[in-house]
Amino acid sequence: MNNHYSEKNDSTIIIRVMCAIVFVLFSWGWLYFFQADALAMTQHVLSDGLTHYNRFVGALIITAVLMILQSIVNGVTKLNKRFHALTYLPSMLVLAMLTGVSQSIDHEVKLSSSIWLVIFFLIVWVVLVFLARQYQDLKKNIPYPFFSRPMWMNMLVLVLMISCVAWIGNTNAVFQYRMKVEGYLMRGEYQKALKVGKKSLESDADLLMLRMYALARCEEMGEHLFEYPITGNSLDVLPTNGRTRMLFYPADSLYKFMGARPAVEMEPQRYLAMLLRRDSVNSKAIADYILCSFLIDKQLDLFAKEISHYYTIDVHLPKFYREALTLYTHSRSNPVVVFRVPVMEEDYANYQELKRQYQDPMEQKTRVSEEYRGTYWYYFEYE
């Protein structure tokens, strides 16, 4: 009799331990690796910037609190074996709501998903718990081996719950990129900020503005800007007119870096022109913002006219300035600047030759993108 009780107890403990391990690992990974920057933004808004979120401590505390909540729910429902995973649903919903913030979080903190969805899951959960209790009371409590049907049923239920957390939580890629970039900017890790989402084609104007600022900090705007997808135009390159914004990285830090804060909202080009008339400004950053704004708008004539004011026209120009001047030289009958560098000339000739091999526009774009995406030539003609 005692041996039978021990076997039942052991099989129950194994299922509970496995469910706890899966939940803790998921909760920790979700909070620490995927949602830390979004939670930092949430805390920043709720505290009016007075406190800062620590990803390690935050993930530890939240996971511990959610496990306490699960223990309470388990004590009330007394679900074991086949249905034990159901006791994690309230904790999963809390986790989903914590990470389901909207992308307008700088204005207000609210769920990106409808609260009615959470209420629906709770109602379904209450019904399932009631039915599970009835079935559990009727079923004999026999011991199960580790690789048993009840074990896999519990794992399946947890996987479904994890899917619901990912569904309700904010998993928008561009929003997550923005949060990560701003997190690195806050810590002054500009090179790390530039690596976020670099291989992704998803972007928006806010992310473009943040990347340009990080590139300016590293003095690499002319060298690397068009390696990223460009979404927006020259009106979006700075947050001076309200078209783009930083969520929790202070705009004052950007203005201090540039040399002055705008007194009123104004277009970025006007702000940059005003900076040029002041002393003690970051002339290198201003020059790159002006030149790259022309390139983003594909205004090659203005770019060619202005570049000699800031740079010596030679082989040492940043990569995208060399490419833009090569394109300009070959596309104008009377260029104001003639730029010919043998290596760049050969590369441009190969680019043109590749284009001529494909008459169909879509096929041409596809083939050219395989070799020349990330060049200014590709951006100018295909984006």
Side-chain angles (χ1 to χ4, degrees):
M1 184 70 179
N2 288 336
N3 289 337
H4 181 59
Y5 174 80
S6 176
E7 289 176 352
K8 290 190 296 180
N9 193 45
D10 287 345
S11 61
T12 300
I13 291 175
I14 290 173
I15 291 176
R16 294 176 63 176
V17 168
M18 287 301 300
C19 288
I21 290 174
V22 171
F23 176 79
V24 168
L25 289 176
F26 167 70
S27 177
W28 175 266
W30 181 250
L31 295 168
Y32 186 84
F33 294 106
F34 296 101
Q35 298 291 339
D37 297 295
L39 289 170
M41 178 62 193
T42 303
Q43 182 165 325
H44 176 82
V45 172
L46 292 175
S47 68
D48 291 326
L50 297 177
T51 62
H52 301 283
Y53 179 80
N54 183 291
R55 65 192 301 161
F56 178 85
V57 176
L60 183 66
I61 292 175
I62 294 173
T63 300
V65 170
L66 294 179
M67 281 302 298
I68 292 173
L69 174 60
Q70 183 276 331
S71 297
I72 295 172
V73 172
N74 183 59
V76 173
T77 61
K78 294 181 173 58
L79 292 177
N80 56 37
K81 292 193 176 178
R82 291 177 182 270
F83 313 106
H84 180 69
L86 288 175
T87 62
Y88 285 88
L89 189 130
S91 296
M92 289 284 195
L93 288 180
V94 172
L95 183 61
M97 289 188 291
L98 282 174
T99 57
V101 295
S102 71
Q103 297 184 53
S104 59
I105 189 174
D106 55 325
H107 301 305
E108 59 179 333
V109 177
K110 64 179 182 179
L111 288 176
S112 59
S113 301
S114 172
I115 189 64
W116 296 109
L117 184 61
V118 175
I119 294 174
F120 170 76
F121 280 128
L122 282 175
I123 293 174
V124 172
W125 176 75
V126 169
V127 173
L128 290 176
V129 168
F130 175 78
L131 295 176
R133 284 289 303 161
Q134 303 301 312
Y135 180 83
Q136 182 174 283
D137 291 340
L138 294 173
K139 197 74 173 178
K140 286 186 177 181
N141 194 13
I142 59 175
Y144 297 100
F146 182 82
F147 295 103
S148 61
R149 179 178 295 180
M151 175 66 77
W152 294 115
M153 285 177 60
N154 278 279
M155 294 300 104
L156 176 60
V157 171
L158 284 175
V159 169
L160 292 175
M161 291 181 185
I162 288 171
S163 301
C164 289
V165 172
W167 182 24
I168 297 174
N170 192 326
T171 55
N172 180 274
V174 175
F175 178 75
Q176 294 296 332
Y177 294 156
R178 287 175 59 194
M179 293 294 95
K180 287 183 179 296
V181 168
E182 292 200 40
Y184 284 128
L185 293 180
M186 289 286 288
R187 297 186 288 273
E189 298 177 295
Y190 306 112
Q191 288 292 348
K192 289 185 178 179
L194 292 172
K195 294 178 181 179
V196 176
K198 186 172 184 178
K199 296 182 179 180
S200 173
L201 297 180
E202 297 182 81
S203 184
D204 64 8
D206 295 298
L207 188 54
L208 170 66
M209 179 268 296
L210 292 170
R211 284 169 168 164
M212 289 185 72
Y213 172 58
L215 287 166
R217 280 284 192 172
C218 298
E219 299 187 352
E220 296 177 352
M221 195 183 299
E223 193 70 31
H224 295 293
L225 176 60
F226 292 93
E227 294 173 2
Y228 300 92
I230 304 298
T231 305
N233 54 46
S234 61
L235 296 176
D236 304 314
V237 299
L238 288 165
T240 54
N241 56 0
R243 284 170 58 105
T244 53
R245 69 190 193 279
M246 295 171 168
L247 294 179
F248 68 101
Y249 182 78
D252 283 346
S253 295
L254 181 151
Y255 297 134
K256 182 179 179 180
F257 169 72
M258 297 296 292
R261 178 184 177 86
V264 295
E265 282 195 0
M266 62 181 69
E267 302 303 334
Q269 282 63 42
R270 183 186 171 198
Y271 169 70
L272 293 169
M274 291 178 63
L275 287 179
L276 289 176
R277 298 195 293 266
R278 296 173 59 98
D279 296 327
S280 303
V281 296
N282 192 325
S283 56
K284 174 69 167 60
I286 295 169
D288 285 334
Y289 267 107
I290 291 173
L291 295 174
C292 285
S293 293
F294 290 144
L295 293 183
I296 288 172
D297 289 345
K298 303 181 181 180
Q299 296 180 331
L300 285 180
D301 293 295
L302 287 175
F303 171 79
K305 179 182 176 181
E306 294 293 324
I307 189 171
S308 60
H309 296 161
Y310 311 107
Y311 283 91
T312 301
I313 310 300
D314 59 21
V315 71
H316 301 296
L317 281 172
K319 171 188 173 183
F320 292 114
Y321 298 169
R322 299 196 308 271
E323 291 180 350
L325 285 178
T326 300
L327 175 61
Y328 169 79
T329 299
H330 282 270
S331 59
R332 300 295 188 272
S333 57
N334 294 301
V336 297
V337 175
V338 176
F339 182 79
R340 295 187 185 277
V341 176
V343 174
M344 189 64 65
E345 288 290 306
E346 181 181 356
D347 199 16
Y348 185 73
N350 293 335
Y351 167 75
Q352 292 294 333
E353 177 61 29
L354 181 62
K355 286 175 56 182
R356 287 191 289 269
Q357 293 178 17
Y358 304 97
Q359 299 302 314
D360 180 71
M362 290 303 298
E363 185 180 12
Q364 182 186 87
K365 180 179 179 180
T366 300
R367 299 303 181 185
V368 171
S369 70
E370 293 174 357
E371 293 191 36
Y372 288 94
R373 180 180 290 277
T375 66
Y376 185 71
W377 306 328
Y378 181 86
Y379 169 78
F380 186 86
E381 296 199 50
Y382 297 104
E383 294 188 356

